[in-house]
């Protein structure tokens, strides 16, 4: 059972919060001021402290400083209760070591949700500390520690890869290509039939690297796969992007945002409807009147998901001719340092794409492996600093 310590000089608040949390199955302790609360924290070592900012004797910021300075309380998740809503106040609280904030008066459903999230983080932190301690005891050199970490990242990358969809064959064929970077990244993609006539396709890229980016991308994959956005028409890309931006602001996601290209193909009308949130354009290859391949960039308008609220997204449309091929990509495909000292860049990537597609007209399955091989062979370090993700969608 998780132990939670409430520190608030208002007895009514203490009673209300205590009863609410006890009903959730937590063991709750309370203190009426900062000094008493700090003494109790050092004694019971709670999983979480919920502390009022403004109190006599010792305010919430000072309690937070002392808690975070105590090694025995290093994994305790600290939530500040405050009526202050300014950015400067949030910065001050975060600089002091607070992990989260709750606005006063407290909304009980929000309290329950933030407590659940904070306790998950606390448990993950404790598990990670225990694992690191065990690792330190088992390894004698920095090389061994680094190798163990790299093995874990590889395992995490393998897990992410296991969640990605397999190739698809038929009137619409889809071939994915995913090469994780040296660091655990935040790319993920999926495609699924909304009904027998409409195919949804998307690729997203979470900012940054590491476990945080990977966890958010996996969460998004599960959310989109289950179509668990309320009152959203998944046939309308702009609606999907709008709902995601409303629900996933970076202020609530450890400053993580993500780009996204989302399209829906109608196989009857051969029309593709798509929208983009700060994502690289998809590349549509089709034949012109001279039977030569031409590349069309399918760009959308809109900022990445989570950067700022109230962004408007719009649908774009294009016709898909027979024997066309669509490439949905992440920026890790072309933001690769080459041996000539320059980034590959989107323009050069499209030239490379056209060249290889011309070479493999009779066997398009060879296109992606050869592009990957070419870019990797000509990269400065022979590895990728970001995830390399491409979806090749062929339309008969």
């Amino acid at each position: 059972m998780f132990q939670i310590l409430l520190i608030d000089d208002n007895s009514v608040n203490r009673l209300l919060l205590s009863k609410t949390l006890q009903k959730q199955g937590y063991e709750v302790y309370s203190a009426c001021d900062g000094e008493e609360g700090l003494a109790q924290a050092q004694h019971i070592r709670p999983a979480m402290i919920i502390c009022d900012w403004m109190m006599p004797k010792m305010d919430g910021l000072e309690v937070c400083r002392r808690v975070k300075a105590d090694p025995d309380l290093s994994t305790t998740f600290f939530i500040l209760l405050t009526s202050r809503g300014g950015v400067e106040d949030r910065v001050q609280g975060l600089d002091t070591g607070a992990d989260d904030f709750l606005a006063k008066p407290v909304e009980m459903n929000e309290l329950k949700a933030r407590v659940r999230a904070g306790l998950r983080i606390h448990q993950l932190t404790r598990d990670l500390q225990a694992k690191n301690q065990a690792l330190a005891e088992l390894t004698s050199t920095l090389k061994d520690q680094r190798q163990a970490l790299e093995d874990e990242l590889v395992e995490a990358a393998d897990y992410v890869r296991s969640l990605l969809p397999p190739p698809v064959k038929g009137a619409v064929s889809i071939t994915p290509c995913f090469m994780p970077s040296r660091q655990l990244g935040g790319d993920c993609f999926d495609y699924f039939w909304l009904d027998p006539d409409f195919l949804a396709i998307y690729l997203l890229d979470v900012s940054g690297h590491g476990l945080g980016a990977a966890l958010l991308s996996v969460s998004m994959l599960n959310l989109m796969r289950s179509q668990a956005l309320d009152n959203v028409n998944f046939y309308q890309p702009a609606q999907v992007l709008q709902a995601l931006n409303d629900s996933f602001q970076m202020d609530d996601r450890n400053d993580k945002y993500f780009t996204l290209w989302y399209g829906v193909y109608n196989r009857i009308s051969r029309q593709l409807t798509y929208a983009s949130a700060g994502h690289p354009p998809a590349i549509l290859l089709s034949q012109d009147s001279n039977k030569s391949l031409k590349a069309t960039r399918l760009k959308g308008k809109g900022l990445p998901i989570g950067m700022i609220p109230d962004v408007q997204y719009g649908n774009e449309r294009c016709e898909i001719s027979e024997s066309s091929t669509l490439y949905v990509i992440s920026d890790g495909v072309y933001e690769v340092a080459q041996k000539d000292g320059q980034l590959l860049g989107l323009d050069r990537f499209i030239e490379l794409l056209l060249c290889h597609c011309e070479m493999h007209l009779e066997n398009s399955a060879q296109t992606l492996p050869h592009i990957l091989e070419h870019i990797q062979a000509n990269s400065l370090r022979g590895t990728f600093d970001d995830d390399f993700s491409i979806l090749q969608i062929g339309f008969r």
Side-chain angles (χ1 to χ4, degrees), residues 143-160:
K143 180 179 178 180
D144 292 336
Q145 293 177 359
R146 181 175 180 178
Q147 186 60 52
L149 178 59
E150 289 179 352
D151 289 345
E152 288 190 359
L153 292 177
V154 169
E155 182 180 350
D158 288 341
Y159 172 69
V160 172

Side-chain angles (χ1 to χ4, degrees), residues 381-395:
R381 289 177 287 273
T383 56
F384 296 110
D385 293 323
D386 200 356
D387 290 347
F388 183 103
S389 301
I390 303 180
L391 299 179
Q392 175 183 273
I393 303 103
F395 304 95

Side-chain angles (χ1 to χ4, degrees), residues 182 335-339 376 378-385:
R182 295 179 301 169
E335 290 184 351
V336 181
Q338 300 288 281
K339 291 178 180 178
Q376 195 164 22
N378 288 277
S379 68
L380 186 62
R381 289 177 287 273
T383 56
F384 296 110
D385 293 323

Side-chain angles (χ1 to χ4, degrees), residues 333-336 338 342-350:
V333 168
Y334 58 85
E335 290 184 351
V336 181
Q338 300 288 281
Q342 301 294 319
L343 284 179
L344 175 62
L346 182 57
D347 291 341
R348 291 171 67 184
F349 169 74
I350 293 176

Side-chain angles (χ1 to χ4, degrees), residues 228-298:
L229 290 169
D230 293 336
N231 302 316
V232 173
N233 184 350
F234 276 79
Y235 293 77
Q236 296 297 322
Q239 278 195 34
V240 175
L241 270 57
Q242 192 73 56
L244 290 174
N245 192 64
D246 292 342
S247 303
F248 289 88
Q249 283 296 301
M250 62 187 294
D251 287 346
D252 304 320
R253 304 286 168 176
N254 295 320
D255 291 333
K256 292 293 183 187
Y257 61 90
F258 56 92
T259 66
L260 173 65
W261 191 97
Y262 180 94
V264 176
Y265 174 64
N266 182 339
R267 72 177 185 89
I268 303 300
S269 67
R270 300 190 67 89
Q271 186 177 76
L272 176 67
T273 304
Y274 62 93
S276 175
H279 200 79
I283 311 301
L284 179 64
L285 299 189
S286 56
Q287 292 183 339
D288 60 19
S289 57
N290 297 320
K291 301 298 182 181
S292 297
L293 282 180
K294 65 175 183 178
T296 303
R297 305 183 190 201
L298 304 186

Side-chain angles (χ1 to χ4, degrees), residues 143-372:
K143 180 179 178 180
D144 292 336
Q145 293 177 359
R146 181 175 180 178
Q147 186 60 52
L149 178 59
E150 289 179 352
D151 289 345
E152 288 190 359
L153 292 177
V154 169
E155 182 180 350
D158 288 341
Y159 172 69
V160 172
R161 187 187 289 109
S162 72
L163 298 176
L164 300 176
V168 171
K169 294 182 179 180
V172 179
S173 61
I174 307 177
T175 304
C177 179
F178 175 66
M179 176 66 69
S181 64
R182 295 179 301 169
Q183 307 175 61
L184 188 60
D187 281 12
C188 78
F189 51 79
D190 203 1
Y191 33 85
F192 46 87
W193 290 94
L194 297 169
D195 65 38
D197 296 330
F198 287 84
L199 174 67
I201 307 158
Y202 73 86
L203 193 155
L204 68 85
D205 182 3
V206 179
S207 62
H209 296 91
L211 186 59
L215 286 176
L216 180 54
S217 71
V218 170
S219 296
M220 290 304 307
L221 182 69
N222 292 329
L223 175 70
M224 297 286 282
R225 189 166 285 175
S226 62
Q227 299 181 36
L229 290 169
D230 293 336
N231 302 316
V232 173
N233 184 350
F234 276 79
Y235 293 77
Q236 296 297 322
Q239 278 195 34
V240 175
L241 270 57
Q242 192 73 56
L244 290 174
N245 192 64
D246 292 342
S247 303
F248 289 88
Q249 283 296 301
M250 62 187 294
D251 287 346
D252 304 320
R253 304 286 168 176
N254 295 320
D255 291 333
K256 292 293 183 187
Y257 61 90
F258 56 92
T259 66
L260 173 65
W261 191 97
Y262 180 94
V264 176
Y265 174 64
N266 182 339
R267 72 177 185 89
I268 303 300
S269 67
R270 300 190 67 89
Q271 186 177 76
L272 176 67
T273 304
Y274 62 93
S276 175
H279 200 79
I283 311 301
L284 179 64
L285 299 189
S286 56
Q287 292 183 339
D288 60 19
S289 57
N290 297 320
K291 301 298 182 181
S292 297
L293 282 180
K294 65 175 183 178
T296 303
R297 305 183 190 201
L298 304 186
K299 298 184 291 186
K301 300 175 182 178
L303 293 175
I305 302 295
M307 271 196 164
I308 60 173
D310 302 323
V311 176
Q312 296 299 314
Y313 298 94
N315 288 333
E316 307 287 342
R317 292 177 175 82
C318 71
E319 303 301 320
I320 304 296
S321 59
E322 292 185 4
S323 302
S324 297
T325 306
L326 179 69
Y327 291 89
V328 185
I329 63 176
S330 66
D331 58 11
V333 168
Y334 58 85
E335 290 184 351
V336 181
Q338 300 288 281
K339 291 178 180 178
D340 60 8
Q342 301 294 319
L343 284 179
L344 175 62
L346 182 57
D347 291 341
R348 291 171 67 184
F349 169 74
I350 293 176
E351 292 175 3
L352 180 66
L353 185 62
L354 285 168
C355 177
H356 280 275
C357 286
E358 291 279 8
M359 291 170 55
H360 302 290
L361 279 177
E362 301 302 321
N363 188 2
S364 61
Q366 296 298 315
T367 302
L368 291 187
H370 280 84
I371 288 176
L372 174 61

